[in-house]
Amino acid sequence: MSTTIASPRSPYSAPRNRGVNWEKWGWIYMRASGVVLIILIFGHLFVNLVLGEGVKGIDFAFVAGKWANPFWQVWDLLMLWLAFIHGGNGMRTIVNDYATRPLTRKILLAAILVSVVVEIALGTVIIFAFDPCPVGSPADLLPSFCPVNQ
Amino acid sequence: MPENSAGTMTPRRPAGTLYRGREGMWSWVLHRITGVAIFFFLLVHVLDSSMVAVAPGAYNAVIDTYKNPIMGLGEIALVGAIVFHAFNGIRIILIDLWSKGAKFQRVMFYVVIGLWVVTMAGFIPRQIMVILSEVAH
Ligand code: HEM
């Protein structure tokens, strides 16, 4: 019986577990979402901070006016999901780099996960479900298209 | 610096680390710090925007706390962080995916700084006008 000894220079093939390579997809996601986020975030900053009166012009009527338009609803929804998953995954990388005690690491990772899930859920509900013309509110605070202002 | 037996240079006083990164290290440090800062801002920003679902007056009360010179300067810092992170993000992507990316990583760092200066030179005067209009109000 002879034992086969691999040539010393043959590449080491680690036993690979089959299944989805999540770290690879995370790496791809960071880059793909980054490219889309540049357009979404720069557009968001330009419309809200530079055009019109800048931050001075932002109030309930301004936001309600934007979210009356499906274009801005989809824009903000995409920005919310892409940014939080990108940011949350980036924070995960950083925690994995610096948290040396396993318990600390688990707590921090759980905190990131919970805050990302809660903020995405909250933001998504608000963009689509808030009322731009709540009854009983002072008319001068509401957008011009509300019935009280017609 | 003393030369050791291997003929390489060793820093006289290694202060904590032997690594003396240049553009590569500092771009990474800045990318990391700006990423964390933007993340924490975003946590607060979704909460303040959520006030639209409480009441128009509640939202306006929160957003009015942003309309002063201190927050106005804070917005310059925030935009500066986002713009650096965004442009350096493109640099990272190019280093990873473009065949010449690693070779030009240092040049690209200075391109990022240059584009950042140009973008901020456009934003800061506009923001100062907004801040002054808030003060005059
Ligand atoms: C404006 C468009 C953006 C671009 C082009 C961009 C690009 C990138 C890239 C390429 C990476 C490196 C990923 C890796 O090393 O695998 C990264 C990391 C990161 N990003 Fe972004 N990003 C953007 C927006 C954001 C936003 C909005 C946030 C926060 C919510 C954020 C938070 C982070 C964090 C925390 C990291 C991890 C940093 C590290 O590991 O040192 N980024 N980004």
Side-chain angles (χ1 to χ4, degrees):
Chain A
M1 240 183 81
S2 68
T3 313
T4 324
I5 297 172
S7 136
R9 293 266 170 170
S10 60
Y12 169 69
S13 57
R16 284 198 174 247
N17 52 348
R18 291 168 182 279
V20 186
N21 185 347
W22 287 105
E23 287 299 337
K24 182 185 85 176
W25 285 106
W27 185 94
I28 294 171
Y29 177 83
M30 291 305 276
R31 280 142 189 84
S33 61
V35 173
V36 182
L37 279 170
I38 292 201
I39 299 159
L40 294 174
I41 294 177
F42 279 40
H44 177 77
L45 293 175
F46 193 72
V47 170
N48 290 11
L49 299 185
V50 177
L51 290 185
E53 295 179 281
V55 177
K56 184 168 182 270
I58 300 179
D59 55 15
F60 180 84
F62 176 88
V63 180
K66 269 185 99 180
W67 286 343
N69 184 341
F71 176 83
W72 288 115
Q73 285 185 314
V74 172
W75 186 289
D76 287 354
L77 184 77
L78 268 176
M79 195 161 60
L80 175 77
W81 283 72
L82 289 175
F84 263 117
I85 297 172
H86 177 108
N89 192 44
M91 294 295 285
R92 182 185 68 97
T93 303
I94 296 174
V95 165
N96 285 341
D97 275 357
Y98 299 123
T100 42
R101 287 178 54 222
L103 181 65
T104 320
R105 182 173 157 274
K106 277 211 187 69
I107 292 172
L108 290 172
L109 291 182
I112 293 167
L113 182 67
V114 170
S115 45
V116 166
V117 169
V118 168
E119 296 255 338
I120 288 181
L122 177 66
T124 303
V125 169
I126 301 272
I127 291 173
F128 289 102
F130 96 105
D131 181 359
C133 308
V135 242
S137 299
D140 58 328
L141 299 186
L142 300 181
S144 54
F145 57 75
C146 288
V148 283
N149 284 327
Q150 293 298 316
Chain B
M1 275 193 277
E3 206 169 329
N4 64 22
S5 55
T8 54
M9 303 299 267
T10 317
R12 193 177 297 275
R13 282 179 297 126
T17 173
L18 289 170
Y19 184 58
R20 291 290 182 274
R22 296 182 36 146
E23 292 85 348
M25 185 188 86
W26 293 110
S27 64
W28 170 81
V29 168
L30 283 172
H31 198 83
R32 190 154 264 202
I33 293 173
T34 52
V36 174
I38 301 164
F39 182 80
F40 281 110
F41 165 76
L42 197 54
L43 289 176
V44 177
H45 185 47
V46 169
L47 295 181
D48 64 50
S49 301
S50 299
M51 298 307 285
V52 295
V54 176
Y59 179 78
N60 288 353
V62 170
I63 214 74
D64 279 349
T65 65
Y66 288 107
K67 298 176 187 178
N68 60 66
I70 292 173
M71 293 310 241
L73 291 178
E75 280 141 18
I76 292 178
L78 175 70
V79 169
I82 294 174
V83 170
F84 176 83
H85 191 96
F87 289 161
N88 191 57
I90 301 279
R91 172 178 163 272
I92 296 174
I93 296 172
L94 287 172
I95 292 173
D96 290 338
L97 301 180
W98 175 36
S99 58
K100 301 237 167 58
K103 185 178 167 200
F104 289 122
Q105 67 87 12
R106 181 171 301 162
V107 179
M108 288 195 290
F109 177 73
Y110 289 106
V111 173
V112 166
I113 298 296
L115 291 174
W116 184 85
V117 169
V118 170
T119 312
M120 295 312 281
F123 177 68
I124 292 174
R126 170 68 187 126
Q127 178 68 1
I128 289 175
M129 282 166 58
V130 172
I131 294 173
L132 292 177
S133 75
E134 288 166 359
V135 176
H137 185 67

